[in-house]
Structures are given as structure tokens and as C-alpha cells.
Amino acid sequence: MSTDEQAPPGTPQATRGIFDPQLLSACISCGFCLPACPTYRLTLDERSSPRGRITLMRALEEGRLDEDDPTLQEQAAFCLGCRACETVCPAGVQYGRLLEQWRDHQWRGRHVPPLALGLRAGMRITPAFTVGGRLRGAARPTGAPSPLAPDGVRAHLMLGCAERVLYPQVSRAVLQLLPGVVDVPSGQGCCGAMHAHNGGSGAAHAMAEELGRRLPGLILTTAGGCGGHLAQVLGRDRVRELSEFLLEYWGEHPERIPPLRRLSRDGRALRVGLQDSCHLRNGLGVTAQPRELVARVAEYVELPSAGSCCGSAGTYSLLRPEDSQRVLDTHLDEIEAADLDHVVVVNPVCQRQLIGGLRRRRSRVTVLHLAELLALALRERAATDE
Amino acid sequence: MTAAGPGTVPATLDAGVLDELRALVGAEHVLTSDGDVEPFSRDATPLFRARPDAVVLPSTTEQVSAILTLATRRGIPVTPRGAGSNLAAATVPEHGGIVLVLTRMNAVLEVSGAELLAVVQAGATTAALADAAAAQGLLYAPDPGSRTVSTVAGNVAMCAGGLRGLKYGVTRNYVLGLEAVLPTGEVLRTGGRLWKDVAGYDLTRLLTGSEGTLAVITEVTVALLPLPASTGTGVAYFEHLADAGRAVARIIADGALPATLEFLDRRCINAVEDFAHLGLDREAGALLLFGDDGAPDVVATSLERMAGACTRLGARGVTLARDVAESDALLAARRCSLPALARLAPITMLEDVTVPRPKLAEMVDEIDRIAGRHDVVCATFGHAGDGNLHPTIVFDPADGDVRRRAEAAFDEVFRTAMRLGGTITGEHGVGAAKRPWLAARLGEDQLALLRRIKTAFDPAGILNPGKLGS
């Protein structure tokens, strides 16, 4: 029936062995992913769509394109890796896994962007961010992990590498919200998510396993991106992001829900929006929980693009600052138009991205991590507004 | 495929031509490197692929005209492309040359409540048109499964169908006028904003479904309807797909003309459920999705009547969607049937035969027998109300001669459909995929006329060569 003289896609033939063949053959090119893709929406260009990128991956795998083809290099780097395409894909294509395999190959040897190389190396120096976290006042590690018990410590809090230095108040807030329920073991390194997304998935796997040994049992994370990576390596049952943990735990122990007041200013409830974390939403499927928690303490406002990548995308904002800004602009416009008091984030790189963007626009909207917002509602200052 | 191998440019696309193209649309909108053109070498049709020599992305009708004039002068094949979601390999550039992508021309130019029409540029998506219409309380009725992706001009070029065909018809019933560019560069405006207009041959209809072989559509004027006050959807489960087919025949014979009558067999139900998690009955042999729209009491009566007919014909369960969200979820699930089937095997080969409605159950049984005879796994879903079936053979190409068996099975499916008074394609088009059966469907005289029409529009034979009328 076909007049195609070349071997059709999917036909067994000499391949380069870069991709898992089953993952690569899952896509049928229906294009349902196109409207979900932030880079396709920006460009309306097939090359910059998930379907187009998979066509490129196949051409690479099957030897129809040179390994160093500039379009391969460019598109592997231009992709945000947000995995929004996965949630709308009826065929169940695991695009995130394919992208990791693609970047492993594309960014091999001399092809790694120098900045990514530097970050990959830097994030492996655990003592540096251990000291940094201490100086900045992140939650203080307390030695060996405590044994987990149903009525005692339920999870080990992961401090994150960048997060403990950039936003030390987040881990402190978690301890305020969950006194006696989580502990903070010492010696925590980086989970390797950054490496997985930057062409170093071998190291990324080892780092997640090492962190898994340092934090045995359930790991509580305040970083959606790290949670997504850890779940992929260690298994979903080992990982809880803060919002899902809080609702699970408070659901089991209603008597331990701390008094949370409604946050208000000038006699009206605070208006608070949310920016989803892509890997929390698209990887772990956590969407309702952070919204429910925000709504408990403030007037929740759904931003139209809340579920779409803000452009931080791990190290993307550092590697491709201009593209990152183009993606971010839509979000900033919506935040400014929504008359918000705060935007809540559930991932530190999103926090950095939105803080920077809103500062540049001199916006009066402030960015808070979900843990910070809830801790704010915890404080007994009933007499005064926030 | 062209004679040119990867990396080489045929004589017709020499540096001079590329310079002219770059001068016309800007250098960044002319793609020529292997990697840049590779993503445009296929559409949503499996097993077809051919790399173009260049991809050009114009932003105005004038640019399209200039590109086509140049292509005719130099004899360069041009294959127009929207979002590349078509299922007949109609946008695969089998002869190389230029793929002309119209996605940059994506404005919704006008929605007129007073005139009940909308005007859009070629590359606007179907969903963008429908949303713009809905914002003014109006309905763009054609509803192809790929609506969030597909472009309006692509829908027109392929005469796309969809989930509302029974009551509302298909794309051709809504196209009032077109702006289209002939391969020789002239810009035509066919039809217009009028419901009544019989001046001349109906070129609007001729271009609708012409699969990019006669002219490049750059702007579309479509008819809109008032948005129905309410919609409702229900689901009935049967032991066999043919039972669902008989229920459809009964519903229509009873004088109902509902908006939606869709069915899925057991394999489809399970594939869709794996993705959508709607709580569908995985044990059922068939699912019939029925729906209607209109005034709330009319919809309620219509749904009751259809539910009753299904029950009388032995449905093992009938449920009605409780609200709009549930209704939308069911329709969305039906739209994703094809890609969901891709979960079963690497290759998903889909067909589009259509038979007269009373023959639906017979055709379903025939497909079953044919699949069994050729030892292939076939899942069937489709627009039952239109007699339009999508038998889909899933296979792993590593599995011996399965591809040959699949092709033999489909050959038999096509011939059976035609024997029952049906056609080889209801809504996906002929493209390259169904070309081998076109003569059997049309006969030599019609095929010869198609060729003469093609020559009248495209004397140099540059537009989508090798497809319809070539």
C-alpha cells in the first residue's frame, strides 16, 4: 500500500542505539501534543513541537541525520523539558524519558553547553551547599535519619541543593507546619534532577540513589522538579511533595492540623495565584493539592497559564535566557492583570524565575513558596492584618 | 521520493531559486538543511515519509502567489501543509520540492453574528475558529477529532468530517467562500458571504476536498449557526459492535437525527480507558456514544428516546452524562480513540471506509471476518451515525509479514465496502494512502475528468504532484 521507498518509521533496521526503541515507536505523529507545547505555541513551527522533535529523534536514531546536525542540537536545547505533551498524549509517549536520552547523546563530550557542564560539576560538591545552607539559615540537619514511625517522624525532609541556599525560609516553614513529623538528616547531596535534564542521566541516577540512601523511607520535598526525578529513579511511593504530604497527613490526623487563619489585607482576603511546577504536574500528577491548600488561607485565583511552564525549566533560564523570558512574559502579563497579592510556587527554580521577572517589571505582587504562605497563616497575629 | 538523495538539492531548487524564496518571505522562513526539513517529511499517516528539498512559511497571500508563480515557472513541486494532522499522507511531499506551510497565517479575521459567518486565515486552528464563534454565542459545527491541532484550510482541503456529521454534515456544508491561489499565481475569491449564489460553477465545492492539488487556500469564509442552548450525551454498552450498529439503524429509522452517534469496540474502549480513566465498561463488546443538542427539553426527550432504543435492542447498560463536564469528557475520549490505540503496538494503520447506514452492522461483521482471515489485530471505532468506520490494524513491524497481511486485509475491506455501496474514504481523504483504490471507486471516466480538471487548474503539474488527478 505504501509507495515509500525508504524503510518506514518503526521498521527494524540498523539503528544507532541512542533511544529505547519501544519509547521511540510509541508516537504516531497525531499532533495532539502541539497545542500543549510552549515552544510550539511561541513559534508555530513543527520543528519546535514534541511531534517534530520525535521525528528528529527518529531520524537521528535511524541514521538519516548526521549526529551533529545543527537542528538536532538546537531543538534538543530549545525544548523546555516541561513534559506538558505527556499529559495530553493518548498514546502514552514518555517524552521526558526520550528527551533525557536525546540530551545524553546530543550533549556528549565537547557538545555540552559549558554552563551546563559547570552546573553539573558544581551541584556535586555537597559540602559547598551544606555550608551555604547553614550560613543562610535553612533548616538545620540533625545527624542520622530518625527511624520512621506512624505516630512519630513520618518522612525525611529533603533540603535541596540550590533551594537551601536561595530560599532557606522554605525548609524552616516546613518544620513549623509539621513539628515532630519530619526530620532533616545530614549529608544530603543534590538529587541529580539537574543532571538528568542536562545530558547526564547516568550521574543523575546515581545521585538520586545516593540521596535515597541518605533519606531512607519516605522523602518529603518542596521542589516539584526534584520530586519528579526522585520518583522516576526511586519509585513514586518513596516521594511526597509538600502539598500532597500535608493533605495526606492532615487527612489522617485532623487533630494535628494547626490553626490556619485566613490571610487578609485592609479587610479583604488576599488574592493568591499559583504557578504549577511542570514535573510536579506532568510527572507526578499533583495539581489539585496546592490549589486546595492555598484556598484554605486565601482567595485562590486560577491564572490562565498556571499549568504551563514559566520558562525556568531547571537550568533553562540560565542556558537560554531569551527564550526563557519569552515563555515567562505571558505569565507575568497574566499575574499583573489578575490583581494578585501573591503568586505561590511549589518549586525553587520557578520561584527564582517569577521573583526575577516581577522585580524587573516593578510589580507589587510578591512570590511565596507554598510552605511560606501556609506558615504566614500559622502565625498568631490575629489582631493585625498580614 | 525525488531522485535527489539527502543533502543534495535538485536542479530545480538551485541557489538562485532559494535566494528568490528568501527574498520573498525572509531567510528565516525558508528551511533547507536536512534537519530543518526532516520534521516536514511526514504527517499523521504511518508508513509514508519523503523529505522535501525546502520548507517555506509565508505570511501573506501575496507571498503565496509569488512562491507559486516561481514554482510554476521553474517546475518545482509544491505540497501545501497546515498542521500535518491528516491521515491519508496527503501532505507527504513524494516528489520533493517545496512544502508550503500555512501555520503563520493563523488570524481569525472576523466573526459576524449578524451574518452568521466567520472569516479566518488558512492556518487558524479549527478550535480557534470554534472558540471565537462560541464567544459570540455561535457554533462552528464541523468537529473533526483533531480540532485542537488541525487548521481550517486543512479541514477544507481534506473536507474533514467529525463527531457531529449526522445532524450537521461535514466541512463542505459550511464553506461559503474561499480565497485561493492558483499554481500560476492568480488569486481567486470563490463564493463569498452569501448563502445563495449560483453564479458559475461551484468552485468553492470543487476546492473543498481537493487535497491541495488544485490551488492553495489562503482564507476561508464559513457559515455559523446559533449555539444550541444545551447539549447532552449518553453511553450504551453492547455485547457486540454489530449490536451497536443495529441500534444506530433503529434510532435513525425511528426518525431521530441526533448530533452524535459514535461507537467503539472492546479494544478501543480499553485503550481509551487506559488514557482517560472515565470508568468505561471494559468488559463490554461495544460502546455507543449518543448525544444531541438544542433546547433542554428537546435534548432530554431525544436522549431518552435513544436510551430506550438501545435498551430494547439488548444494551447491557445505558447511562446518561450528568453534566457538561462529563459530556465533554466522553466526547474528548472518543476523539482520542486513534492515538490511544497506539498503546497496543508500534504501528497503527487506520482506515476510513463508509457504507450506507443500513449496511453498518453487516460491514462490521465483515471486518471481523476479514481480520480473522488475515490473522491481524483490528480495532474498530467510528461515526456510526454516518456509516463511517475506522477499522484500525495495530501491529509490530518486527512480526514477520504482518504488514503485508494488514495491507491485504484492508484491500479486502475496501472492496467489501464498495460492494455494499460504500466508499474507500469517508472523511480522511485519498492522499497517497488510498490512491491505489481510487480508480475502483470512481471508474475510468471520472478519473479521466479529474485529470482534465487538474490540468485546467495546474498546467505545470506542480501542486501536490502524484495525488488526486495526477
Side-chain angles (χ1 to χ4, degrees):
Chain A
M1 109 181 289
S2 163
T3 55
D4 189 348
E5 288 159 23
Q6 296 179 25
T11 299
Q13 58 191 292
T15 55
R16 287 187 169 136
I18 296 163
F19 298 96
D20 178 335
Q22 280 197 318
L23 295 185
L24 198 57
S25 68
C27 172
I28 62 162
S29 299
C30 67
F32 277 35
C33 52
L34 268 56
C37 175
T39 58
Y40 180 77
R41 286 203 303 268
L42 269 186
T43 59
L44 297 176
D45 183 337
E46 178 73 32
R47 292 173 295 172
S48 306
S49 72
R51 174 179 67 174
R53 291 187 175 113
I54 287 176
T55 301
L56 287 170
M57 292 182 210
R58 285 176 170 158
L60 170 64
E61 177 71 19
E62 291 162 13
R64 289 197 307 281
L65 285 178
D66 187 81
E67 285 184 286
D68 296 331
D69 184 284
T71 307
L72 290 174
Q73 294 286 357
E74 166 62 15
Q75 289 303 334
F78 185 32
C79 176
L80 290 151
C82 70
R83 297 169 62 189
C85 46
E86 289 186 30
T87 63
V88 298
C89 176
V93 173
Q94 295 179 48
Y95 181 87
R97 302 285 296 279
L98 286 169
L99 178 67
E100 286 178 13
Q101 292 168 6
W102 192 16
R103 284 194 181 156
D104 276 357
H105 180 79
Q106 215 68 59
W107 292 4
R108 69 203 183 282
R110 64 186 169 84
H111 298 290
V112 192
L115 188 53
L117 200 62
L119 288 165
R120 265 164 36 178
M123 290 305 174
R124 304 195 72 167
I125 309 171
T126 305
F129 44 84
T130 304
V131 171
R134 182 157 304 172
L135 290 175
R136 297 272 292 142
R140 188 171 281 264
T142 53
S146 310
L148 301 182
D151 52 355
V153 171
R154 295 283 294 265
H156 301 300
L157 177 64
M158 173 186 153
L159 289 171
C161 45
E163 186 175 33
R164 77 181 83 159
V165 180
L166 290 174
Y167 308 111
Q169 68 274 23
V170 172
S171 52
R172 288 202 309 271
V174 173
L175 295 187
Q176 281 182 288
L177 290 165
L178 291 162
V181 183
V182 292
D183 81 334
V184 189
S186 300
Q188 300 185 25
C190 167
C191 72
M194 203 275 297
H195 304 72
H197 308 146
N198 285 282
S201 67
H205 201 92
M207 292 167 80
E209 286 186 330
E210 169 59 19
L211 189 62
R213 281 188 289 275
R214 297 272 180 174
L215 309 176
L218 197 63
I219 300 172
L220 174 62
T221 176
T222 48
C226 305
H229 174 63
L230 285 174
Q232 216 162 60
V233 177
L234 302 176
R236 183 69 174 92
D237 57 333
R238 288 282 309 276
V239 181
R240 290 291 181 282
E241 181 273 339
L242 178 67
S243 68
E244 51 173 352
F245 182 84
L246 284 175
L247 288 177
E248 274 177 35
Y249 181 73
W250 287 347
E252 282 171 44
H253 296 283
E255 76 284 359
R256 304 234 181 113
I257 303 178
L260 292 170
R261 69 188 175 96
R262 300 280 297 172
L263 295 167
S264 62
R265 177 179 290 157
D266 305 331
R268 59 161 185 87
L270 289 191
R271 289 171 57 80
V272 177
L274 177 81
Q275 170 63 51
D276 276 305
S277 148
C278 292
H279 286 199
L280 182 61
R281 181 188 182 95
N282 307 325
L284 300 183
V286 174
T287 55
Q289 294 92 325
R291 288 168 170 76
E292 183 182 334
L293 287 167
V294 171
R296 285 190 185 189
V297 301
E299 181 190 346
Y300 176 67
V301 180
E302 177 79 15
L303 294 164
S305 301
S308 180
C309 182
C310 66
S312 61
T315 52
Y316 192 91
S317 59
L318 302 172
L319 295 171
R320 297 184 70 103
E322 284 171 19
D323 293 324
S324 170
Q325 280 304 312
R326 285 160 76 201
V327 175
L328 175 63
D329 277 336
T330 313
H331 296 262
L332 297 180
D333 294 345
E334 289 176 5
I335 290 167
E336 293 194 313
D339 188 27
L340 299 181
D341 296 291
H342 301 298
V343 190
V344 160
V345 292
V346 281
N347 197 30
V349 290
C350 315
Q351 192 162 358
R352 185 181 165 278
Q353 175 86 338
L354 290 180
I355 289 173
L358 289 169
R359 186 179 292 150
R360 274 190 296 280
R361 290 202 181 187
R362 302 180 194 286
S363 169
R364 59 169 200 87
V365 183
T366 48
V367 183
L368 294 176
H369 191 283
L370 178 65
E372 293 178 80
L373 180 83
L374 295 174
L376 212 55
L378 208 52
R379 283 179 208 149
E380 295 299 333
R381 289 194 299 172
T384 54
D385 278 351
E386 181 199 354
Chain B
M1 287 299 296
T2 57
T8 60
V9 176
T12 49
L13 258 186
D14 57 26
V17 170
L18 292 176
D19 284 346
E20 274 191 70
L21 289 169
R22 290 187 184 109
L24 286 171
V25 299
E28 71 271 34
H29 301 302
V30 179
L31 316 178
T32 55
S33 77
D34 286 350
D36 281 343
V37 302
E38 176 73 23
F40 301 88
S41 63
R42 63 166 297 173
D43 51 33
T45 322
L47 306 173
F48 287 86
R49 187 183 66 229
R51 200 183 270 175
D53 300 299
V55 175
V56 183
L57 300 102
S59 62
T60 66
T61 302
E62 293 69 36
Q63 290 177 1
V64 172
S65 169
I67 294 161
L68 291 176
T69 305
L70 171 64
T72 286
R73 194 173 76 232
R74 300 294 297 264
I76 303 163
V78 175
T79 304
R81 175 183 170 110
S85 55
N86 94 85
L87 293 160
T91 62
V92 174
E94 295 178 298
H95 293 254
I98 293 169
V99 164
L100 189 67
V101 181
L102 293 144
T103 47
R104 291 178 65 215
M105 298 172 63
N106 66 343
V108 176
L109 299 171
E110 181 188 356
V111 176
S112 167
E115 288 186 86
L116 286 176
L117 60 77
V119 184
V120 300
Q121 285 187 309
T125 63
T126 319
L129 165 58
D131 291 348
Q136 298 201 25
L138 300 169
L139 173 73
Y140 177 62
D143 183 31
S146 55
R147 59 192 296 281
T148 57
V149 188
S150 59
T151 65
V152 176
N155 288 172
V156 174
M158 303 305 290
C159 191
L163 273 62
R164 283 197 281 246
L166 181 56
K167 184 174 184 172
Y168 290 108
V170 296
T171 301
R172 78 161 66 84
N173 303 104
Y174 295 86
V175 184
L176 291 176
L178 296 172
E179 180 189 79
V181 185
L182 290 177
T184 37
E186 302 92 325
V187 179
L188 303 182
R189 295 198 76 97
T190 72
R193 303 168 74 99
L194 306 170
W195 263 251
K196 288 186 166 181
D197 182 359
V198 292
Y201 292 141
D202 192 345
L203 296 178
T204 308
R205 276 269 181 129
L206 179 58
L207 291 177
T208 304
S210 64
E211 304 191 0
T213 60
L214 300 182
V216 176
I217 297 165
T218 47
E219 187 190 293
V220 183
T221 304
V222 295
L224 303 175
L225 299 169
L227 205 57
S230 70
T231 59
T233 307
V235 169
Y237 295 99
F238 293 88
E239 298 298 337
H240 303 285
L241 194 58
D243 297 339
R246 276 182 276 278
V248 168
R250 167 65 64 83
I251 288 169
I252 295 170
D254 283 352
L257 196 63
T260 295
L261 277 175
E262 299 286 319
F263 66 6
L264 287 75
D265 71 3
R266 179 182 287 136
R267 284 196 181 93
C268 296
I269 296 170
N270 279 281
V272 166
E273 182 64 14
D274 284 345
F275 167 62
H277 311 294
L278 292 170
L280 305 179
D281 179 358
R282 287 175 178 274
E283 304 298 314
L287 177 161
L288 180 67
L289 183 69
F290 54 92
D292 211 348
D293 54 19
D297 54 325
V298 174
V299 172
T301 311
S302 172
L303 290 187
E304 264 169 49
R305 224 160 64 167
M306 290 191 277
C310 290
T311 306
R312 280 194 301 283
L313 279 159
R316 51 185 261 152
V318 182
T319 55
L320 299 182
R322 285 183 299 268
D323 51 34
V324 175
E326 206 177 301
S327 216
D328 285 349
L330 286 168
L331 289 168
R334 159 59 192 85
R335 283 191 197 100
C336 75
S337 304
L338 167 67
L341 282 172
R343 290 165 179 264
L344 302 182
I347 297 282
T348 311
M349 219 159 132
L350 159 91
E351 286 311 340
D352 180 38
V353 290
T354 305
V355 294
R357 287 171 192 138
K359 303 285 189 187
L360 190 64
E362 188 179 346
M363 187 68 214
V364 163
D365 283 336
E366 284 288 351
I367 290 171
D368 244 14
R369 275 195 286 275
I370 292 167
R373 242 189 334 266
H374 293 274
D375 190 24
V376 290
V377 175
C378 183
T380 299
F381 63 98
H383 314 288
D386 308 325
N388 185 191
L389 293 160
H390 296 315
T392 304
I393 296 179
V394 293
F395 63 87
D396 184 341
D399 177 14
D401 65 342
V402 65
R403 180 173 168 191
R404 192 197 51 73
R405 279 184 279 128
E407 287 168 359
F410 275 138
D411 180 72
E412 219 176 307
V413 166
F414 291 136
R415 291 181 198 289
T416 306
M418 287 188 274
R419 177 169 57 72
L420 295 175
T423 184
I424 57 174
T425 174
E427 59 178 5
H428 295 167
V430 177
K434 261 141 300 190
R435 185 172 44 202
W437 294 273
L438 187 61
R441 170 68 183 129
L442 297 184
E444 270 313 316
D445 290 345
Q446 255 196 82
L447 215 52
L449 180 59
L450 252 59
R451 285 190 207 104
R452 294 204 295 277
I453 293 171
K454 165 77 176 169
T455 308
F457 276 77
D458 181 15
I462 59 150
L463 258 192
N464 211 352
K467 312 277 172 54
L468 280 185
S470 299

